[in-house]
Amino acid sequence: MSTSYCLEPPKLHFGEDGVPRSATFDDVYFDKEAGLAETEYVFIQQNNLSERFAALNDGDQFTIAETGFGTGLNFLCTWHHFVENESKGWLHFVSVEKYPLDKMSLQNALAAWPSLSRYAKLLVDNYPTLCQGWHRVNFNEHRVSLTLWLGDAGDGFSGLAASVDAWFLDGFAPSKNPQMWNEQLFQAIGKLSHLGTTCATFTAAGIVRRGLQASGFKMEKVKGFGHKREMLRGTFEQGATTLKNPWFYHQPKRLNASARILVVGSGIAGASTARALVDKGFRVQVWEADTEIASGGSGNIQGMLYPKLQATNTPINRFYLAAFLFAQATFTNLNQSVSGEIWRQCGLLQRAKNSAEAEKFEKMLGSQLYPPEVCFAKQDGEILLPLSGWVAPKLACAKLLDHERIQVHLGNELLQLEQTQQGWEATGTKSPEPQHFDRVVLCTAGAINQHSPVSEWPVKTIRGQVSRLSVEHLDTQQQTTALALDQVLCADGYVSPPLDGHLNFGATYDLTSNEILPTLASHSTNLNKLANLLNIDTENIAPENLTGRVGFRCTVADYAPIVGPVSNPQVLLESYAPLRQNAKWQPTELLNNGILEGLYVNVGHGSRGLVSAPLSAEYLASVISGAPSPLESAVAESIHPNRFAIRQLKRNSAG
Ligand SMILES: Cc1cc2nc3c(=O)[nH]c(=O)nc-3n(C[C@H](O)[C@H](O)[C@H](O)COP(=O)(O)OP(=O)(O)OC[C@H]3O[C@@H](n4cnc5c(N)ncnc54)[C@H](O)[C@@H]3O)c2cc1C
Ligand SMILES: C[S@@+](CC[C@H](N)C(=O)[O-])C[C@H]1O[C@@H](n2cnc3c(N)ncnc32)[C@H](O)[C@@H]1O
C-alpha cells in the first residue's frame, strides 16, 4: 500500500465537446452521446438490477462494487434507477478511485447529464476530502450510501469488509490500464463475492475473463453496447472462502425496522450511535442515567476537533484520520439546520508544547503523509489543520438525538443486562420490569464495567477540568489578544476563539483525583496553560473569577477506542488457544467466537471523542445492519473489542 495519504490528480482535460478525457490513459471517461445508455446497458441491465432492486424488502441491503469511480456517472445512474424502482431496500455503492477528480471537475463533468442533476448536486455537495482511505457518504433520504476508497483498486478491495451482490468492472481498458486489472484485484473480487453475485464489464479482454474465472465466476460473452462486438458478464459460483483473523469475524443476524434497539448513554458516542441507527431506518431507545443528556465527558461548551495525527501510517492513525474527516462532514451537516452554533470550522493551530513534540511535528511534516487539505506547516514548525475547529458537544448531542424515531429516557440508569433466548433483557432505575431488546449498544464510557455482561474492560477514567473566563475579566491588552483569536490554538492545553464573550480553555489531566466539582487549583493550572497559549501574563486573573466543568475521560491502554460486537473472552481464549504456541496460526475453519449475539460497545474515546465517536457510530450501525463497513479491516481490528483477548494469547506465544 502507498505510504502517503496524498493522491495524484488525474491528467484530465475537457474536450470542446465537454467530455472529460484522461491523458494518463489516453481514453474518455464516458461517451458524450451514449454514456448514460452505455452504463444502463452494460452495468444496470447485465446485472439485472431493475428486477433485483424491485424485489428488495424493508431492511434488505444491496451492495454494488465498482472499479474506477471517475466522474460518478455509473453511481448516479444506479442511484436514479434505485429511486425509480421505488426499492424498499438500501443501496450501498462501493467504489474505488486512484486519481480522483476535484470537486470543480466533477461538477463540470456531470453537467453533461441534466436528467441526473438532482443526484449530481447531492454528490458534489457531499464529495469527500481528497485524501487516501475509505470515505462514507450517506444519502439517507433515498436510502443510498456511497463508500468510496480513494487509492488503488486492489489495495482498497483487499481491505474491505463487505458482501458484494453485483460488480461494475469499469476502469480504463486492460490494454490501456494493465496495472489495475491485476491478481490482487481479482482475488479481492472473489473474496468479497457470494453465491449468486453477478458481474459485468464493458471489456471482453481475455485477461479479465480468465481473472474472474479464477476468482470463482462463471463468465459469458454477450453482445457489447452499440457498435462494440462483445462484453463480459458472469455469476459467482463458489462457496465462502477462508477468513483471515477469524477471531474478529461477526455475521450479524438480519434485522428489520421494527427491531427493538437500546443505546445506553447519551454522550457523543451514544447520541452518534442512536442517530446512525435511526438514519438507517431503525427505532432506538436511549437510556441515560443522568437527568440531562450529555452530562458526562460530552457536556463541555466548546471542544476541539483534534485528531493528533502521527508521522507513521499505522491502522490506528488511519482510523483517526478517517474519523476526523467523517466528523468534520457530520458536524458541518448538523450545523445546517440549527439556530445555536454547533460547529465552527475555524481551523486548528497545533504548536509543539516541548522540544520532544517539536521533533515529532518535524517528523510528521517531513513524512509528507498528509495532503495540505488535511494539514500543513505554518511558521515556526506550527501545524495548521484547516478543516478543524470547535464543536459545542452538548448541542451536537441534542441535535443528534432530536429525531422522531429516537426516544430518550432520562434518569434511567441501566442496572442489569441479561441475555435471553430472544435477545436481551434490560432493567433500569425507571424500568424495574425487565424490557426486551434485540440489540443493545453500551456507550457508557468509564462506567462500562458496572453493567456490562463482560466486566473486565481495560479502561480507566481520568478527571479533566475546563475553565471559562469572561473577557471582561481581562485587561485591555489581554482582551485584544483574546478577541483576535480566530482559530483553535493547541499546545499544552487548548483555547478556542471566544464564544458569547467568554474564553473556554483547558484542560487538566488529573490522574489521582475523583473530585466532581471544579477546583481553584485546576483553574490555576488552566490559567497557566492559557498564559502559554496566548503568550500573555495571567497572574492578575483570580481563579475565583473562573467557572468551569469537570468530566471524566474513558481511556484505554492502547489509546484506541473499543468499538464493535462483544464476545465472551473465555470462549475466545479457548477457541484460539493455539495462538499461544504460534502467533501466526490461522484456523482452517470458523471456530466459536463466543459472540454475545446482539451486544455491542462504543466506549474508550479518551481525549478525542469528538473526532472518533461519529465514525465509530457509523461503523457500528453498518455492522448491526449488515451494510459494508466504512472501515478497512485492519482499522476495524485495531478498535475491535476482541483485540485484548487475542493479544493476550499472542503475547504468551512471544514470551
Ligand atoms: C475536560 C475535558 C475536555 C475534553 N476536551 C475534548 C476536546 O476538546 N475534544 C475532544 O474530542 N474530546 C475532548 N474530551 C474527551 C471527550 O469529552 C470524550 O472523549 C467524549 O465526551 C466521550 O463521549 P462518550 O459518549 O463516550 O462518554 P460520555 O460523554 O461520558 O457519556 C457517557 C454517558 O453514559 C451515561 N451512563 C453511564 N452509565 C450509565 C448507565 N448505567 N445507564 C445509563 N446511562 C449511563 C453517562 O451518564 C453519560 O451521559 C474532553 C474530556 C474532558 C473530560
Ligand atoms: C472510465 S473511468 C470510470 C468511469 C466511471 N465509472 C464513471 O462513472 O464516470 C476509469 C476510472 O478508473 C480509474 N482508475 C484507473 N486505474 C485505477 C486503479 N488502479 N485504481 C483505482 N482507480 C483506477 C481512473 O482514474 C478513472 O477514473
Side-chain angles (χ1 to χ4, degrees):
M1 196 187 293
S2 143
T3 50
S4 168
Y5 306 129
C6 302
L7 294 155
E8 213 181 298
K11 294 198 176 73
L12 178 80
H13 61 100
F14 285 86
E16 274 174 19
D17 54 1
V19 172
R21 287 178 165 75
S22 161
T24 316
F25 298 102
D26 180 29
D27 208 344
V28 288
Y29 281 74
F30 51 68
D31 184 290
K32 165 95 172 151
E33 303 308 323
L36 201 51
E38 182 162 9
T39 295
E40 283 175 3
Y41 177 80
V42 175
F43 297 115
I44 310 271
Q45 281 183 36
Q46 304 305 325
N47 278 302
N48 202 18
L49 290 187
S50 294
E51 288 78 355
R52 291 166 87 184
F53 286 164
L56 294 176
N57 289 314
D58 164 34
D60 285 347
Q61 316 286 323
F62 192 89
T63 301
I64 293 173
E66 175 194 51
T67 50
F69 186 71
T71 66
L73 173 63
N74 288 344
F75 170 50
L76 298 190
C77 185
T78 311
W79 181 354
H80 175 70
H81 271 265
F82 185 76
V83 172
E84 292 293 296
N85 275 289
E86 296 180 5
S87 179
K88 295 194 183 62
W90 198 291
L91 172 65
H92 295 277
F93 197 91
V94 181
S95 192
V96 293
E97 178 53 62
K98 190 169 180 178
Y99 310 99
L101 272 67
D102 61 38
K103 210 180 214 189
M104 187 62 88
S105 308
L106 187 84
Q107 196 168 13
N108 288 343
L110 290 174
W113 312 110
S115 64
L116 298 174
S117 61
R118 69 190 264 236
Y119 306 110
K121 178 167 180 352
L122 286 170
L123 174 63
V124 170
D125 287 350
N126 292 282
Y127 196 52
T129 301
L130 300 187
C131 178
Q132 186 184 283
W134 284 107
H135 301 261
R136 165 66 57 86
V137 187
N138 293 316
F139 303 97
N140 296 327
E141 183 196 344
H142 295 137
R143 295 194 303 279
V144 171
S145 296
L146 172 67
T147 307
L148 182 60
W149 167 260
L150 297 182
D152 181 69
D155 290 343
F157 286 129
S158 303
L160 176 69
S163 177
V164 175
D165 299 297
W167 287 93
F168 289 9
L169 300 174
D170 206 350
F172 296 116
S175 54
K176 298 192 168 171
N177 186 16
Q179 294 85 353
M180 187 188 85
W181 301 93
N182 61 24
E183 181 63 22
Q184 183 196 25
L185 176 66
F186 290 125
Q187 272 186 13
I189 290 175
K191 188 196 76 176
L192 294 166
S193 300
H194 58 80
L195 212 59
T197 295
T198 59
C199 70
T201 176
F202 64 95
T203 171
I207 181 180
V208 175
R209 182 173 43 80
R210 287 189 297 277
L212 290 166
Q213 280 168 338
S215 69
F217 282 86
K218 181 163 187 251
M219 300 302 300
E220 62 175 324
K221 278 185 186 165
V222 291
K223 163 83 185 73
F225 175 73
H227 61 272
K228 292 182 187 158
R229 209 154 55 91
E230 291 173 324
M231 60 162 278
L232 293 170
R233 70 176 179 196
T235 307
F236 194 72
E237 292 201 322
Q238 272 184 12
T241 47
T242 30
L243 292 158
K244 196 173 159 238
N245 298 349
W247 38 86
F248 294 124
Y249 182 69
H250 165 57
Q251 178 69 57
K253 293 212 174 107
R254 197 180 176 288
L255 202 62
N256 47 34
S258 58
R260 286 179 59 86
I261 305 183
L262 173 65
V263 169
V264 189
S266 68
I268 193 68
S272 304
T273 303
R275 187 51 180 256
L277 284 163
V278 298
D279 280 346
K280 299 208 175 333
F282 299 109
R283 286 182 180 278
V284 174
Q285 268 190 40
V286 176
W287 288 12
E288 167 53 57
D290 208 281
T291 49
E292 276 181 31
I293 61 150
S295 52
S298 308
N300 293 343
I301 293 175
Q302 273 178 315
M304 56 176 174
L305 203 63
Y306 182 33
K308 283 204 181 142
L309 301 170
Q310 307 290 320
T312 42
N313 179 19
T314 56
I316 199 62
N317 194 46
R318 297 204 289 282
F319 169 74
Y320 276 110
L321 174 60
F324 169 61
L325 297 175
F326 187 80
Q328 183 265 345
T330 302
F331 292 130
T332 301
N333 283 333
L334 270 192
N335 235 9
Q336 278 169 4
S337 55
V338 81
S339 44
E341 197 172 6
I342 289 179
W343 157 242
R344 193 184 297 171
Q345 191 180 310
C346 52
L348 179 149
L349 194 67
Q350 238 178 310
R351 187 182 295 154
K353 62 179 176 211
N354 51 35
S355 56
E357 198 168 75
E359 232 172 84
K360 262 195 193 165
F361 283 10
E362 211 176 307
K363 207 168 144 208
M364 185 181 134
L365 291 167
S367 71
Q368 300 191 334
L369 259 187
Y370 302 94
E373 289 84 347
V374 173
C375 66
F376 58 86
K378 294 282 282 183
Q379 70 272 27
D380 303 329
E382 292 172 345
I383 298 177
L384 183 72
L385 280 72
L387 294 171
S388 183
W390 60 261
V391 183
K394 200 176 177 102
L395 293 184
C397 291
K399 179 76 186 156
L400 286 163
L401 290 170
D402 181 16
H403 192 287
E404 57 181 10
R405 290 198 298 276
I406 300 181
Q407 232 182 49
V408 181
H409 296 235
L410 293 174
N412 200 12
E413 180 182 354
L414 173 73
L415 298 174
Q416 209 174 353
L417 191 58
E418 275 187 18
Q419 192 172 23
T420 65
Q421 293 274 319
Q422 286 76 36
W424 293 89
E425 278 191 350
T427 317
T429 39
K430 284 198 178 160
S431 310
E433 290 301 313
Q435 309 266 310
H436 165 79
F437 292 97
D438 301 293
R439 301 287 182 271
V440 177
V441 190
L442 299 174
C443 306
T444 49
I448 182 80
N449 280 328
Q450 291 167 19
H451 47 258
S452 161
V454 171
S455 59
E456 288 183 18
W457 296 104
V459 297
K460 66 174 185 197
T461 52
I462 300 181
R463 179 187 187 272
Q465 179 173 320
V466 279
S467 300
R468 177 170 158 84
L469 171 68
S470 165
V471 288
E472 284 174 3
H473 290 298
L474 299 174
D475 64 30
T476 321
Q477 207 185 344
Q478 291 166 335
Q479 272 198 17
T480 311
T481 310
L483 293 174
L485 185 66
D486 57 1
Q487 288 172 330
V488 177
L489 198 55
C490 190
D492 177 20
Y494 63 88
V495 55
S496 307
L499 181 66
D500 301 331
H502 288 78
L503 281 179
N504 292 301
F505 54 98
T508 61
Y509 275 80
D510 310 311
L511 300 175
T512 50
S513 166
N514 284 324
E515 175 55 59
I516 57 169
L517 293 175
T519 64
L520 291 179
S522 293
H523 280 325
S524 296
T525 306
N526 285 339
L527 278 173
N528 286 337
K529 291 181 194 289
L530 185 69
N532 286 328
L533 283 161
L534 294 183
N535 200 14
I536 56 172
D537 187 354
T538 56
E539 293 276 301
N540 62 338
I541 303 171
E544 287 78 4
N545 285 332
L546 273 60
T547 56
R549 208 183 157 265
V550 171
F552 290 86
R553 307 170 182 91
C554 171
T555 61
V556 184
D558 63 5
Y559 299 107
I562 311 176
V563 186
V566 179
S567 287
N568 178 336
Q570 287 318 317
V571 177
L572 274 178
L573 292 173
E574 277 165 34
S575 292
Y576 297 106
L579 284 171
R580 282 188 211 277
Q581 270 73 51
N582 175 7
K584 296 210 167 101
W585 174 75
Q586 293 279 340
T588 48
E589 57 181 342
L590 213 53
L591 301 173
N592 181 0
N593 275 2
I595 285 279
L596 297 175
E597 188 61 50
L599 182 65
Y600 300 84
V601 284
N602 184 3
V603 297
H605 293 281
S607 306
R608 291 182 272 178
L610 299 174
V611 175
S612 52
L615 185 59
S616 297
E618 177 67 23
Y619 164 66
L620 265 188
S622 302
V623 170
I624 291 172
S625 62
S629 171
L631 299 179
E632 173 199 332
S633 299
V635 169
E637 290 172 8
S638 70
I639 59 171
H640 199 289
N642 290 358
R643 68 186 190 268
F644 308 106
I646 298 302
R647 276 183 204 156
Q648 188 184 328
L649 289 169
K650 290 188 175 181
R651 231 188 344 261
N652 287 355
S653 140

